[in-house]
Amino acid sequence: MQTKALGTVIEWSGRSSTPADFYSGMLDYWDHWQSIDPRLAEHHAVLSTAAEAFGHDLVNLATYAHEILSWLEPSRIRRSPSVVVVGGMTEAFIFTLRSACDVIATALAHYAAEKRGQAPKDSLRGLITWSERNPSRVHASIRTVLAADFGWFWKLRALRDALGHRGSHANIHCDGRQFNLWLHGPDGWITREPLLPLLAGQLVHLVDLSDSSAQAINEVIDFPPDRLKSRIVNGVLISALHDLLKTADNYAEPSP
């Protein structure tokens, strides 16, 4: 595995990717402040900042996934610390997923309307709601993104809000082979489901949102074609994201 960085966005020549690499469309906007592409200079403050923040979120997600997956080993999973550590990493994963959604929304909001500043840029929730109420103000390409099925996001938001605002905890059930997320709130059970498929599914939706959002923004700003797939996240733990996606279905037995 070829690793060039501990975990950051780097320029990518289009070479064959390795397990240490992870690509998503939002990353293409990144430029180091000392070498800004003049064709994208007017967008640097918004898009490059979003790309760097999104890349940082991916690195953190890989870190949490690495720790969770490491506790699946038969010699470790039955040890009492497993559910404590995995619970903490699960909460961190969910919070970071939610943060990454808002990073994407910040970029989308800047280009959502002809008149800058009309679209709310504080959260994806606010941007979706605004788009639904003001469809005629939204650029067609971005309106398509915001009109997609966001059932996954509303579920993510419910999980994050329960953990962050309503006193719930990511209780982890372990059957000796797989981890299940048991989340309970004041009104009863929020979810009881296999953990890895939940996290992997949310990651897939996040990357899909990043890709579709970048495509929509690119139409608005006339993004240079040679910059497509020119940036990538590279890091020592990035392979954990690929491992999560590959192995999640092996740990999908229904939760008790």
Side-chain angles (χ1 to χ4, degrees), residues 20 33 65 70 75 85-86 96 110 112 131 147 169 173 188-189 204 226 229:
W33 62 272
S70 73
S75 62
V85 175
V86 172
T96 301
H110 190 76
S131 178
H169 304 284
H173 167 267
W189 285 106
V204 168
D226 60 286
K229 295 188 177 180

Side-chain angles (χ1 to χ4, degrees), residues 37-208:
D37 187 332
R39 299 170 299 175
L40 298 173
E42 66 176 294
H43 308 290
H44 178 80
V46 173
L47 292 184
S48 183
T49 299
E52 185 166 8
F54 184 71
H56 185 67
D57 283 337
L58 287 176
V59 171
N60 283 341
L61 289 171
T63 304
Y64 309 140
H66 175 268
E67 191 64 22
I68 291 170
L69 294 173
S70 73
W71 285 95
L72 287 171
E73 297 176 9
S75 62
R76 304 188 80 199
I77 193 168
R78 292 184 180 276
R79 292 172 54 192
S80 56
S82 70
V83 294
V84 178
V85 175
V86 172
M89 294 297 100
T90 296
E91 291 194 16
F93 198 101
I94 289 171
F95 272 77
T96 301
L97 278 167
R98 183 67 179 84
S99 171
C101 289
D102 288 346
V103 167
I104 295 171
T106 298
L108 271 178
H110 190 76
Y111 302 95
E114 291 288 349
K115 185 176 180 180
R116 297 285 168 80
Q118 287 186 323
K121 57 183 180 180
D122 59 333
S123 72
L124 180 58
R125 179 203 61 78
L127 185 60
I128 293 171
T129 302
W130 173 82
S131 178
E132 291 173 344
R133 293 174 179 173
N134 304 276
S136 63
R137 296 185 183 182
V138 189
H139 274 293
S141 63
I142 293 178
R143 185 170 63 245
T144 299
V145 174
L146 296 174
D149 182 359
F150 278 96
W152 65 273
F153 171 72
W154 300 121
K155 178 177 181 177
L156 173 63
R157 182 170 178 263
L159 295 174
R160 194 289 307 265
D161 287 356
L163 293 168
H165 304 306
R166 298 190 177 89
S168 297
H169 304 284
N171 296 304
I172 301 298
H173 167 267
C174 176
D175 63 4
R177 183 182 180 277
Q178 76 175 38
F179 297 115
N180 303 301
L181 175 61
W182 288 8
L183 194 61
H184 193 274
D187 299 322
W189 285 106
I190 299 169
T191 191
R192 292 169 65 125
E193 63 184 292
L195 177 64
L196 266 61
L198 167 65
L199 301 184
Q202 288 287 338
L203 176 60
V204 168
H205 285 302
L206 175 69
V207 173
D208 286 346

